[in-house]
Amino acid sequence: MGLINKNTITSLELLEQINFFRKVEEKNEQRHDTLLNVIRDEFEEEIGVQKILETHYIHEQNKQKYPMFVLTISQAKQVLVRESKFVRKAVLKYIENLEQQLQTQFNIIYLEDIKLQINFNDKIISFLKYLLKVKTKFTGTVILFTSGSEGLLK
């Protein structure tokens, strides 16, 4: 299972892990549409104010478009509360392992964590550098995720 970024998981990826451990527990697999209903119920308010948006994917076999959600890791954990103790613990352990792997591979900086350190002067200087096309020595990679994505993720 691949995460879209360090903090999100699609409903398809979550379902894959849930069903893997449901099989181990000898329980029936869950369908994706059933999981979508659980997510819609669990996050009714957030979906209503568009803090969580439904997106779509193209099914590999029939090439049709189907709905899915991209959840934060925290939201995925909240969905797991409805699973059995065995499935919940197993998927949480899997998610925690992914988080640990990603933290050792990348230096993750969240804008929310540093926004208070950026003052008005920093913003003006950055804007002027942008206008003047001043080159910087930054060699890293920036991945910016916004909540306004529609359709396939880019």
Side-chain angles (χ1 to χ4, degrees), residues 1 30 32 48 58 73 77-80 109 117 124 130 133 135 139:
M1 174 175 88
Q30 187 175 53
H32 188 240
I58 305 296
I73 297 299
K77 290 176 182 179
Q78 190 171 335
V79 170
L80 288 173
I109 300 171
Q117 298 172 18
I124 294 295
Y130 169 76
K133 299 183 186 211
K135 302 240 184 214
T139 59

Side-chain angles (χ1 to χ4, degrees), residues 79-124:
V79 170
L80 288 173
V81 169
R82 297 187 182 198
E83 289 296 323
S84 70
K85 181 168 59 171
F86 174 80
V87 171
R88 191 172 55 248
K89 283 183 174 182
V91 176
L92 285 172
K93 183 174 173 72
Y94 177 82
I95 289 172
E96 288 167 4
N97 286 340
L98 281 177
E99 289 176 313
Q100 288 174 353
Q101 288 174 13
L102 288 168
Q103 287 174 352
T104 60
Q105 293 175 358
F106 302 100
N107 179 20
I108 303 169
I109 300 171
Y110 298 100
L111 291 178
E112 294 84 14
D113 295 340
I114 64 168
K115 70 180 179 183
L116 295 176
Q117 298 172 18
I118 302 171
N119 62 36
F120 183 75
N121 288 338
D122 294 328
K123 293 175 186 177
I124 294 295

